[in-house]
């Protein structure tokens, strides 16, 4: 059996957070201008408690069932004064999962087609959303065609959603992410939306240099998600 990952201490996460903030400043922005979303996907619930004790109240999850299970677990502890997160949904979104997630999500990052706009507007009226844009042209990647961005923003607004901004994921196999991030920044100006969710552990400094207002960071805070298993010799 693979042993469950052990959460880092609050002191460790606090120190890592301080380093990320320093790098945000070095990249030309400020901690007030860049929100840090702690990506807790696949980590056991203790990681969430540690993150919140370190002051990270915005947590990102990718899988609907996992988010719901974790939300229910933390909600049960609320009566005992335990901290409660603001959930950010950052994974590929299926229409049939919207109902399950509605009412729990503070910001939906991955809305990339009209059917999702309609479904969220129906199940979670006035929800706060971002439009995910595929700025790398990779076939397997979620996100709308950049040319459709404005239309989706408008459709979202007409449906009564609060469209706060745009989201993108940089190139998967590495490579220079700046083209992608600059493109998203230009689209946000054209669409007149303030928020830009871009940048992960590997590329948040470039994202911040291109105007990111929300970085989604997992491993830089919590360590690797898939720790290599030691091989006995
Ligand atoms: C997993 C994930 C992240 C965080 O990745 P790290 O490399 O651990 O920082 C950010 N955004 C999305 C969409 C993700 O799926």
């Amino acid at each position: 059996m693979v042993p469950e990952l052990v959460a880092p201490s609050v002191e460790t996460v606090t120190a890592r957070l301080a380093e990320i903030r320093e790098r945000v400043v070095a990249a030309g922005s400020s901690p007030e201008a860049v929100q840090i979303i702690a990506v807790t996907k696949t980590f056991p619930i203790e990681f969430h408690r540690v993150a919140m004790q370190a002051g990270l109240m915005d947590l990102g999850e990718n899988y609907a069932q996992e988010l719901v299970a974790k939300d229910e677990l933390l909600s049960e502890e609320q009566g005992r004064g335990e901290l409660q997160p603001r959930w950010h949904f950052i994974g590929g979104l299926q229409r049939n999962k919207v109902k399950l997630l509605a009412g729990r999500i503070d910001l939906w990052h991955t809305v990339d087609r009209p059917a999702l706009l309609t479904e969220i507007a129906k199940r979670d009226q006035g929800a706060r959303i971002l439009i995910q844009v595929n700025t790398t042209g990779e076939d397997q990647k979620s996100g709308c065609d950049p040319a459709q961005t404005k239309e989706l923003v408008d459709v979202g607004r007409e449906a009564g959603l609060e469209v706060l901004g745009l989201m993108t994921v940089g190139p998967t196999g590495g490579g220079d992410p700046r083209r992608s991030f600059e493109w998203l920044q230009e689209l946000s100006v054209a669409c007149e939306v303030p928020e830009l969710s871009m940048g992960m552990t590997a590329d948040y400094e470039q994202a911040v240099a291109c105007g990111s207002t929300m970085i989604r960071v997992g491993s830089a805070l919590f360590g690797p998600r898939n720790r290599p298993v030691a091989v006995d010799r």
Side-chain angles (χ1 to χ4, degrees), residues 144-211:
C144 69
D145 184 317
Q148 291 182 316
T149 312
K150 180 78 171 82
E151 193 189 328
L152 289 178
V153 168
D154 291 343
V155 170
R157 284 177 174 155
E158 278 157 27
L161 297 169
E162 210 179 317
V163 187
L164 294 185
L166 309 179
M167 179 271 204
T168 202
V169 176
T172 302
D176 190 351
R178 258 166 299 197
R179 179 75 202 96
S180 233
F181 296 154
E182 282 166 6
W183 199 356
L184 199 72
Q185 198 276 333
E186 287 160 17
L187 288 167
S188 76
V189 173
C191 296
E192 300 178 59
V193 287
E195 302 291 342
L196 282 172
S197 167
M198 55 189 197
M200 323 193 344
T201 293
D203 56 18
Y204 71 83
E205 288 156 292
Q206 290 99 319
V208 166
C210 296

Side-chain angles (χ1 to χ4, degrees), residues 39 41 62 90-91 167 169 199-202 216-220 225:
V39 178
K41 66 174 177 217
N62 291 51
I90 64 169
M167 179 271 204
V169 176
M200 323 193 344
T201 293
R216 309 176 307 267
V217 182
S219 33
R225 275 179 293 275

